[in-house]
């Protein structure tokens, strides 16, 4: 695998930003910036060997600075939602930033997705480091985070590590938007299989209700592969749900497959995490013009965000997101790109 670095502009305060090109030499490559840890471009072959863009993103730093889209970004300290932006930890109540809906989303007003990370090429991996100081976004404790990106043998591997000097909460992920048809159409014909017999139902603010229910006999049943659009009439607001994975091991386990029949591209996902957020770009509205002048219309991308349960800190039956001193947060998620004929 080869990694190269180039200058990619400056932030408004004058700090320089870099763009790194990772290439496995077998047709899979990515561009990643240390601004937000964003995957700005992701290219893979189709069934005929033609290499094409399958990620949503902007060609310039200015595109990311002009509008926060979460395209391809690292998300933290806590991915997804926290109800009311409040939680208690060791008897103390914390109030985080909330949007107009009263929900704390993806780490807050200025989450990890808009931070400039320290970057280094470490052997065959891109290493990103960020120190989130005590009180940032009102989270307790100074959190030291390291994320490694690696591309090899048609796999994109993301490895996360974090430590803290005070008890805090952590739930990291990456918010890549995929479109295996090369962004030539929406993603509704993509065929998805998620190895999850249960999900966490949500209210009208997309916050989990605290229940864990079966997907059986619901439009959320992806235990057998089906087109994204097949049951969409039953869930017109679109998929934006957390699936509780049928994991049997603690290490990375292959839990998701997505097949696009036109191009023959196949995406497989393995993760150490207990859950996966499946989102299909319901809020894309055509206002974002991305790579190659592509207009990102509604449902022109899907996300597979490996995570612990959303709002876990406020639900005792969800996974533990508390990190204490002398503990280490670890996560690995792998995206593997293959092809097959229909």
């Amino acid at each position: 695998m080869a990694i190269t670095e180039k200058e990619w502009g400056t932030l408004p305060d004058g700090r320089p930003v870099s763009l790194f090109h990772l290439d496995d030499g077998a047709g899979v490559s990515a561009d990643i910036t240390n601004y937000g840890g964003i995957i700005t471009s992701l290219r893979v072959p189709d069934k005929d060997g033609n290499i094409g863009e399958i990620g949503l993103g902007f060609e310039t730093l200015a595109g990311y600075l002009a509008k926060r889209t979460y395209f391809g970004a690292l998300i933290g300290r806590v991915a997804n939602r926290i109800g009311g932006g409040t939680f208690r930890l060791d008897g103390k109540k914390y109030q985080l930033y909330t949007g107009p809906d009263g929900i704390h989303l993806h780490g807050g007003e200025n989450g990890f997705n808009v931070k400039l990370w320290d970057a280094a090429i470490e052997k065959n991996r891109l290493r990103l480091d960020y120190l989130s100081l005590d009180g940032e976004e009102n989270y307790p404790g100074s959190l030291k985070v390291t994320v490694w990106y690696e591309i090899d043998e048609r796999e994109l591997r993301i490895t996360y590590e974090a430590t803290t000097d005070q008890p805090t909460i952590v739930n990291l992920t990456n918010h890549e938007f995929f479109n295996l048809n090369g962004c030539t159409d929406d993603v509704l014909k993509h065929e998805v299989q998620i190895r999850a017999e249960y999900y966490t139902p949500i209210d009208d603010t997309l916050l989990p209700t605290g229940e864990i229910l079966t997907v059986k006999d619901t439009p959320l049943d992806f235990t057998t592969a089906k087109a994204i659009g097949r049951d969409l009439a039953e869930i017109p607001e679109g998929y934006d749900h957390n699936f509780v994975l049928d994991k049997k091991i603690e290490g990375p386990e292959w839990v998701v497959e997505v097949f696009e029949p036109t191009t023959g591209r196949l995406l497989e996902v393995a993760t150490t995490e207990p859950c996966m957020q499946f989102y299909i770009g319901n809020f894309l509205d055509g206002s974002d013009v991305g790579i190659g002048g592509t207009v990102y219309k509604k449902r022109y991308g899907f996300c597979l965000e490996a995570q612990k349960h959303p709002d876990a800190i406020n639900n005792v039956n969800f996974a533990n997101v508390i990190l204490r001193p002398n503990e280490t947060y670890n996560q690995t998620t792998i995206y593997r790109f293959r092809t097959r004929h229909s």
Side-chain angles (χ1 to χ4, degrees), residues 109-236:
E109 186 175 20
N110 293 293
F112 290 179
N113 57 298
V114 295
K115 302 300 183 181
L116 186 65
W117 296 60
D118 294 329
I121 298 173
E122 186 179 85
K123 296 183 179 179
N124 291 325
R125 303 188 295 178
L126 171 63
R127 174 175 175 159
L128 300 179
D129 291 282
Y130 180 68
L131 177 61
S132 176
L133 294 175
D134 178 33
E136 182 175 283
E137 294 292 325
N138 286 339
Y139 284 102
S142 291
L143 185 76
K144 182 179 180 181
V145 185
T146 301
V147 179
W148 291 270
Y149 286 100
E150 180 180 7
I151 289 184
D152 191 33
E153 296 183 346
R154 295 196 173 187
E155 292 182 355
L156 169 61
R157 178 184 291 262
I158 309 176
T159 306
Y160 308 74
E161 184 178 287
T163 56
T164 183
D165 62 356
Q166 298 178 47
T168 190
I169 57 176
V170 183
N171 187 12
L172 306 178
T173 195
N174 181 277
H175 209 300
E176 176 71 341
F177 281 71
F178 299 95
N179 187 323
L180 302 183
N181 66 39
C183 301
T184 58
D185 199 355
D186 62 38
V187 298
L188 300 187
K189 295 180 182 178
H190 288 57
E191 298 168 3
V192 176
Q193 182 178 18
I194 303 174
R195 294 179 177 87
E197 294 185 5
Y198 296 92
Y199 78 106
T200 50
I202 53 178
D203 63 20
D204 58 5
T205 68
L206 305 180
L207 186 74
T209 63
E211 303 168 282
I212 299 177
L213 300 181
T214 179
V215 300
K216 187 177 180 180
D217 299 323
T218 78
L220 294 157
D221 189 349
F222 286 91
T223 55
T224 301
K226 68 176 182 181
I228 292 173
R230 193 188 78 177
D231 297 327
L232 205 54
E234 299 179 51
I235 186 166

Side-chain angles (χ1 to χ4, degrees), residues 10-16:
T10 58
L11 298 180
D13 62 8
R15 288 179 295 166

Side-chain angles (χ1 to χ4, degrees), residues 7-320:
E7 295 181 359
W8 207 48
T10 58
L11 298 180
D13 62 8
R15 288 179 295 166
V17 176
S18 293
L19 186 69
F20 298 84
H21 180 73
L22 286 68
D23 194 324
D24 73 344
V28 174
S29 65
D31 292 334
I32 301 169
T33 175
N34 60 328
Y35 174 71
I38 295 169
I39 303 170
T40 67
S41 177
L42 183 58
R43 294 169 296 275
V44 306
D46 65 11
K47 62 185 178 183
D48 299 316
N50 301 310
I51 296 173
E53 181 66 52
I54 65 160
L56 275 60
F58 300 114
E59 292 180 339
T60 66
L61 176 62
Y64 294 97
L65 297 177
K67 183 179 180 182
R68 297 184 184 180
T69 62
Y70 299 115
F71 289 157
L74 293 176
I75 304 297
R77 286 188 194 189
V78 174
N80 218 305
R81 293 162 174 81
I82 297 177
T86 63
F87 67 94
R88 288 188 175 275
L89 180 57
D90 295 340
K92 182 177 180 180
K93 183 178 180 180
Y94 295 89
Q95 177 65 60
L96 308 174
Y97 170 85
T98 62
D101 58 1
I103 303 296
H104 178 80
L105 177 67
H106 288 333
E109 186 175 20
N110 293 293
F112 290 179
N113 57 298
V114 295
K115 302 300 183 181
L116 186 65
W117 296 60
D118 294 329
I121 298 173
E122 186 179 85
K123 296 183 179 179
N124 291 325
R125 303 188 295 178
L126 171 63
R127 174 175 175 159
L128 300 179
D129 291 282
Y130 180 68
L131 177 61
S132 176
L133 294 175
D134 178 33
E136 182 175 283
E137 294 292 325
N138 286 339
Y139 284 102
S142 291
L143 185 76
K144 182 179 180 181
V145 185
T146 301
V147 179
W148 291 270
Y149 286 100
E150 180 180 7
I151 289 184
D152 191 33
E153 296 183 346
R154 295 196 173 187
E155 292 182 355
L156 169 61
R157 178 184 291 262
I158 309 176
T159 306
Y160 308 74
E161 184 178 287
T163 56
T164 183
D165 62 356
Q166 298 178 47
T168 190
I169 57 176
V170 183
N171 187 12
L172 306 178
T173 195
N174 181 277
H175 209 300
E176 176 71 341
F177 281 71
F178 299 95
N179 187 323
L180 302 183
N181 66 39
C183 301
T184 58
D185 199 355
D186 62 38
V187 298
L188 300 187
K189 295 180 182 178
H190 288 57
E191 298 168 3
V192 176
Q193 182 178 18
I194 303 174
R195 294 179 177 87
E197 294 185 5
Y198 296 92
Y199 78 106
T200 50
I202 53 178
D203 63 20
D204 58 5
T205 68
L206 305 180
L207 186 74
T209 63
E211 303 168 282
I212 299 177
L213 300 181
T214 179
V215 300
K216 187 177 180 180
D217 299 323
T218 78
L220 294 157
D221 189 349
F222 286 91
T223 55
T224 301
K226 68 176 182 181
I228 292 173
R230 193 188 78 177
D231 297 327
L232 205 54
E234 299 179 51
I235 186 166
E237 66 273 19
Y239 297 108
D240 194 357
H241 296 76
N242 173 63
F243 290 79
V244 182
L245 301 169
D246 302 334
K247 281 180 57 50
K248 300 177 178 63
I249 61 174
E250 292 185 2
E253 184 172 348
W254 297 101
V255 289
V256 178
E257 290 185 4
V258 184
F259 177 64
E260 202 290 304
T262 303
T263 64
R265 291 189 176 106
L266 176 67
L267 167 63
E268 299 168 299
V269 185
T271 187
T272 56
E273 295 304 273
C275 299
M276 187 75 68
Q277 185 82 11
F278 178 49
Y279 169 61
I280 61 169
N282 305 308
F283 298 112
L284 297 175
D285 60 5
S287 62
D288 297 312
V289 180
I291 296 169
T294 302
V295 177
Y296 297 143
K297 303 174 186 178
K298 187 174 184 177
R299 296 169 181 159
Y300 254 58
F302 66 89
C303 301
L304 294 165
E305 303 158 64
Q307 61 181 7
K308 294 179 173 61
H309 304 67
D311 202 24
I313 189 62
N314 292 318
N315 291 275
V316 295
N317 58 327
F318 288 179
N320 175 43

